[in-house]
Amino acid sequence: MAAVSLSVSTVKPLGERVFVKVSASEEKTSGGILLPDTAKEKPQVGEVIAVGPGKRNDDGSRSELEVSVGDKVLYSKYAGTDIKLGTEEFVLLAEKDILAIVN
């Protein structure tokens, strides 16, 4: 089996999928207590790195996605597929799993 080398620039989502870079998780609580890795929650905010071409309609045309590259988004807690490239974490989501665009 051949090894595949992935980088952010080689990942292109298909259909209505979105590739998101996960924001760093909180290191401390609001009271200043340091959290160990096992107690940290999975972040639900990230930046859109790449988007697919959109969902194909019945007539063959494509619906444009509501998010675009560079948007900061809030997504469902257990949604998507987690991907680790080097030291950075990403998640591949369906557009329906994105809850909001964060300003």
Side-chain angles (χ1 to χ4, degrees):
M1 204 176 245
V4 177
S5 177
L6 290 178
S7 70
V8 175
S9 61
T10 60
V11 177
K12 183 176 185 332
L14 300 175
E16 64 205 73
R17 298 219 169 33
V18 179
F19 194 58
V20 175
K21 180 179 179 184
V22 177
S23 296
S25 59
E26 294 293 323
E27 300 286 328
K28 290 187 199 178
T29 64
S30 58
I33 298 171
L34 291 173
L35 294 171
D37 288 339
T38 56
K40 293 179 188 173
E41 285 192 27
K42 177 183 171 186
Q44 292 174 257
V45 177
E47 181 183 350
V48 176
I49 301 299
V51 296
K55 183 177 181 177
R56 191 170 295 277
N57 298 323
D58 293 335
D59 64 358
S61 64
R62 293 210 181 251
S63 298
E64 190 174 317
L65 297 175
E66 293 186 49
V67 295
S68 57
V69 174
D71 286 346
K72 197 168 193 179
V73 295
L74 175 68
Y75 54 89
S76 297
K77 190 168 197 155
Y78 300 107
T81 302
D82 296 330
I83 300 169
K84 192 167 187 177
L85 299 177
T87 60
E88 296 180 322
E89 293 183 18
F90 299 89
V91 64
L92 188 60
L93 300 165
E95 184 186 30
K96 68 180 181 173
D97 293 326
I98 296 175
L99 305 173
I101 297 174
V102 182
N103 291 330

